[in-house]
Amino acid sequence: MSGLIVHPFSTRIMSTTVTVPPVPPTANVSDRLRKKASRHIKERFIEALLFCAALISVFTTAAIVYILVKESWIFFEAVPLSRFLFDTQWTPLFDDAHYGIMVLLSGTITSSAVALAVAIPLGTIIAIYLSEFAPFKVREIAKPFLELLGGVPTIVYGYFALVFLTPLLQKIYPELPGFNLLSAGLIMGVMIIPYVASLSEDAMRAVPMALREGSYAMGATRLQTALRVVMPAATSGIASAYILGISRAVGETMILAVAAGMQPNLTFNPTESGATITSYIVQVALGDLPHGSIGYQTIFAAGLSLLLLTLMFNLLGHYLRKRFREVY
Amino acid sequence: MSNETTLNIEPDANAAIKAECRNFGFYYGDFQALKDINMPLYDKKVTALIGPSGCGKSTLLRSFNRMHDLYPGNRYQGEIVMQPDNTNLLAREVDPIEVRMRISMVFQKPNPFPKSIFENVAYSLRVRGLTNKSELADRVQHSLKGAALWDEVKHRLNDLGANLSGGQQQRLCIARALAADPEIILFDEPTSALDPIATASIEELITELKEKVTILIVTHNMQQAARISDFTAYMYIGELIEFGVTDQVFIKPKNKQTEDYITGRFG
């Protein structure tokens, strides 16, 4: 065989010498050049267009941060940071105004904790079922339905919590107030399930079949394979799904505004009513406070706190993704 | 073409049979991938499956531990009977997990789990419910020694399996397969993703392993089959064409098709 191998260089010389094209007339050359130039301009244009599209999102984010920081600055000139962080009351409407963000934060944390206590276990179980157990047909039907659940407007969930779940919970626990963090949190959890389940399922399905086969070949059952091989291999994707769920819970507004009441209340007890950072912003935006007052400036300080909170979770998610990125 | 398999083997009264395909066939949906295969696996011997791509060697191999059960639409025909208990591995009432506990497998591409070296080897013991730490440690060490990997990894058992080199990963997979004391180990082209040096070490390992277990190996590499196997089966389009003692199959094939394939005239 080796005798037949022709050096690639020699074939190239051969082909060029044999098929040398006739020297093209100058008009043709400039024609071709113009075509090339126009293609170049077109590509540059498209590139610029894409760059602008990308720039819009960056610019929007930067503008939001700029406005939040600028307006919060006015707030923090009037209210020292220590009072903002450590005061135990939130009463911007009163003559004796207090601006303790902890009060709103406690509502956000409590309702999110309830929501995640529902969404993370259920979402994970659903993801395991869909990815590792469900027959093809079941998955093809169940997944779109699940994702539909994520498309229900949150205001609908809010009223569902207020007029259906709260009365139901009051039958079990009569002292429960009409507005409470518990039913808002539970319904919020149901709202978040599709996000957690869908993303976790994607992460688990991306685990190569070779790993599953390796596990089965060692005599593992389906459940053992799912829990001991597939889930650890999908850790980073599952962690991102959880972080997205947390961000959704922290940022959720309507369900809480409708079903949790808007009474600022420093509590970690879900059976009480309470305001969250988001529902407070709604309240102010609805016009309860005069424009330009310090009370009005509070929504920017509250918004900045919310932004920092979600940023923290995003960074945590980024770190977890890197830390647990599995090589397979 | 006749369906009869050419036997290139002297009857040997002492050779114990570990498993045997009897009129075995296999279907992917409506497609018949294997037809009427009758083949013994001799106890504590290496049997190689050779043949051109698509001839069904891997399909046959993966039938022994019922890997085809993982995918819908697959169907077995006939029997694969395992000795000494005369169990038909394909029978409905036989749990595929029980089968896989007796017949382990090493894959074409090394596929260590995203776990530490120790946990990779301990996996097959843990899924059997073994939790005793000192026993786990003993058996992991024993398996890693059996896979000629212990000296290279004994100081870093907590490292990820994926951090090892390709050849080491494949030996890790062999250690994993050895850990639960299987009766048969299936090798599906175990060296096709490895360099020649790693291949040599795996081949040496397989030759050592046959003291303890029965081995069935699929290989594309005929020299490899000649070097490491005691018996060779030549397959072509879902049929077993010739089965016999490796030296005889390679030196004096009885079937014309086998001869053509082995001498490189075809395939």
Side-chain angles (χ1 to χ4, degrees):
Chain A
M1 261 316 269
S2 64
L4 289 175
I5 293 171
V6 181
H7 195 275
F9 200 64
S10 65
T11 53
R12 213 172 68 199
I13 290 171
M14 282 254 301
S15 66
T16 42
T17 47
V18 170
T19 62
V20 156
V23 179
T26 36
N28 275 357
V29 170
S30 67
D31 232 28
R32 276 217 307 262
L33 268 180
R34 199 178 311 133
K35 222 178 234 168
K36 222 175 155 186
S38 80
R39 189 177 65 210
H40 192 63
I41 289 169
K42 210 170 121 193
E43 291 213 341
R44 285 297 293 271
F45 176 72
I46 291 172
E47 197 186 316
L49 207 70
L50 294 177
F51 179 73
C52 286
L55 205 63
I56 287 173
S57 71
V58 175
F59 176 76
T60 314
T61 313
I64 290 173
V65 172
Y66 171 75
I67 296 286
L68 280 178
V69 170
K70 189 178 134 236
E71 298 288 329
S72 302
W73 192 261
I74 299 170
F75 172 80
F76 284 118
E77 274 178 342
V79 181
L81 188 64
S82 60
R83 272 178 61 201
F84 182 71
L85 291 180
F86 300 116
D87 204 324
T88 54
Q89 286 180 57
W90 179 265
T91 54
L93 285 164
F94 295 0
D95 289 339
D96 174 30
H98 286 276
Y99 306 99
I101 191 70
M102 280 308 294
V103 178
L104 298 181
L105 203 58
S106 74
T108 295
I109 290 171
T110 309
S111 60
S112 299
V114 172
L116 295 171
V118 173
I120 286 183
L122 274 176
T124 311
I125 290 168
I126 290 171
I128 292 174
Y129 172 73
L130 285 180
S131 152
E132 304 301 310
F133 289 87
F136 179 77
K137 276 185 181 158
V138 173
R139 180 166 58 219
E140 289 309 294
I141 296 167
K143 215 180 170 193
F145 268 98
L146 190 68
E147 280 162 2
L148 202 68
L149 204 62
V152 175
T154 53
I155 187 88
V156 175
Y157 280 119
Y159 270 96
F160 187 71
L162 184 66
V163 304
F164 176 75
L165 188 61
T166 300
L168 200 69
L169 289 174
Q170 279 169 333
K171 279 186 190 144
I172 305 162
Y173 181 67
E175 289 97 85
L176 194 71
F179 294 110
N180 61 81
L181 291 164
L182 181 65
S183 72
L186 290 174
I187 290 295
M188 198 155 79
V190 173
M191 181 204 83
I192 296 168
I193 286 172
Y195 296 93
V196 174
S198 187
L199 279 179
S200 305
E201 198 243 19
D202 289 344
M204 286 193 239
R205 287 238 281 166
V207 173
M209 208 53 213
L211 279 186
R212 288 190 188 88
E213 287 196 345
S215 170
Y216 286 122
M218 295 303 112
T221 61
R222 275 189 175 200
L223 190 64
Q224 286 167 337
T225 302
L227 297 181
R228 298 179 188 210
V229 173
V230 179
M231 273 191 65
T235 306
S236 68
I238 295 172
S240 333
Y242 291 175
I243 296 290
L244 180 81
I246 294 172
S247 297
R248 295 284 313 187
V250 168
E252 176 48 38
T253 309
M254 267 308 157
I255 297 176
L256 293 150
V258 171
M262 298 205 213
Q263 305 303 316
N265 185 2
L266 180 59
T267 178
F268 291 100
N269 179 359
T271 62
E272 291 179 27
S273 72
T276 63
I277 300 177
T278 51
S279 67
Y280 171 73
I281 294 173
V282 171
Q283 193 182 11
V284 175
L286 287 175
D288 275 8
L289 284 165
H291 189 270
S293 65
I294 285 298
Y296 184 76
Q297 294 306 124
T298 54
I299 64 171
F300 296 102
L304 188 65
S305 315
L306 193 63
L307 187 76
L308 289 176
L309 200 63
T310 44
L311 183 71
M312 202 179 77
F313 282 119
N314 281 344
L315 290 177
L316 182 71
H318 189 72
Y319 165 77
L320 286 177
R321 264 200 300 281
K322 274 177 82 174
R323 170 73 178 74
F324 293 109
R325 196 174 55 88
E326 297 299 349
V327 190
Y328 41 69
Chain B
M1 195 195 331
S2 84
N3 265 355
E4 280 296 298
T5 300
T6 311
L7 285 179
N8 196 342
I9 190 166
E10 306 299 324
D12 184 354
N14 294 326
I17 289 174
K18 182 68 204 169
E20 192 173 11
C21 300
R22 292 180 190 160
N23 303 322
F24 175 70
F26 181 78
Y27 293 83
Y28 288 112
D30 291 332
F31 171 71
Q32 186 168 16
L34 295 174
K35 287 169 216 145
D36 203 25
I37 300 217
N38 288 286
M39 184 184 84
L41 278 193
Y42 288 99
D43 194 27
K44 300 196 170 60
K45 300 284 180 201
V46 178
T47 304
L49 293 172
I50 61 168
S53 297
C55 69
K57 355 180 245 301
S58 286
T59 306
L60 178 58
L61 183 93
R62 292 163 64 92
S63 302
F64 277 84
N65 64 343
R66 293 193 41 189
M67 286 305 269
H68 299 299
D69 288 30
L70 298 178
Y71 306 95
N74 296 336
R75 195 155 53 83
Y76 308 100
Q77 203 179 45
E79 294 180 327
I80 296 179
V81 179
M82 192 155 167
Q83 302 300 351
D85 44 322
N86 208 29
T87 309
N88 174 16
L89 301 177
L90 306 176
R92 230 165 240 290
E93 66 276 9
V94 173
D95 184 354
I97 288 168
E98 305 260 319
V99 173
R100 293 175 199 140
M101 294 210 170
R102 298 179 66 185
I103 304 182
S104 201
M105 183 169 180
V106 175
F107 294 81
Q108 187 170 1
K109 253 185 81 186
N111 57 349
F113 302 132
K115 296 175 183 293
S116 68
I117 293 169
F118 183 91
E119 285 303 325
N120 259 286
V121 182
Y123 188 78
S124 52
L125 303 170
R126 286 200 192 273
V127 299
R128 284 160 176 75
L130 189 70
T131 48
N132 183 313
K133 279 200 175 131
S134 67
E135 196 182 345
L136 275 174
D138 281 353
R139 293 185 66 169
V140 167
Q141 178 177 351
H142 188 252
S143 310
L144 282 168
K145 279 181 177 162
L149 191 59
W150 175 252
D151 290 333
E152 290 159 65
V153 301
K154 62 184 170 191
H155 299 302
R156 49 176 185 142
L157 290 174
N158 291 321
D159 271 17
L160 271 183
N163 291 345
L164 296 172
S165 75
Q168 288 174 324
Q169 284 186 25
Q170 196 61 303
R171 275 181 283 150
L172 180 64
C173 292
I174 293 173
R176 182 175 81 182
L178 276 175
D181 277 331
E183 294 162 55
I184 301 176
I185 301 185
L186 310 170
F187 288 83
D188 191 356
E189 297 186 40
T191 61
S192 64
L194 302 180
D195 65 68
I197 293 168
T199 299
S201 74
I202 302 279
E203 284 184 7
E204 198 188 319
L205 187 53
I206 290 173
T207 324
E208 282 167 22
L209 288 180
K210 74 173 177 185
E211 313 250 308
K212 288 173 281 180
V213 288
T214 305
I215 289 168
L216 181 61
I217 177 169
V218 164
T219 176
H220 255 121
N221 182 333
M222 276 183 285
Q223 285 78 23
Q224 182 170 70
R227 278 194 298 267
I228 63 174
S229 71
D230 303 299
F231 296 89
T232 296
Y234 171 66
M235 293 177 68
Y236 183 65
I237 326 184
E239 289 181 47
L240 181 61
I241 305 296
E242 181 160 349
F243 177 84
V245 175
T246 296
D247 292 346
Q248 289 177 33
V249 170
F250 276 91
I251 297 163
K252 269 201 301 194
K254 282 188 179 166
N255 191 299
K256 183 77 173 59
Q257 289 184 61
T258 317
E259 191 183 341
D260 287 350
Y261 182 72
I262 284 168
T263 52
R265 232 168 288 167
F266 137 85

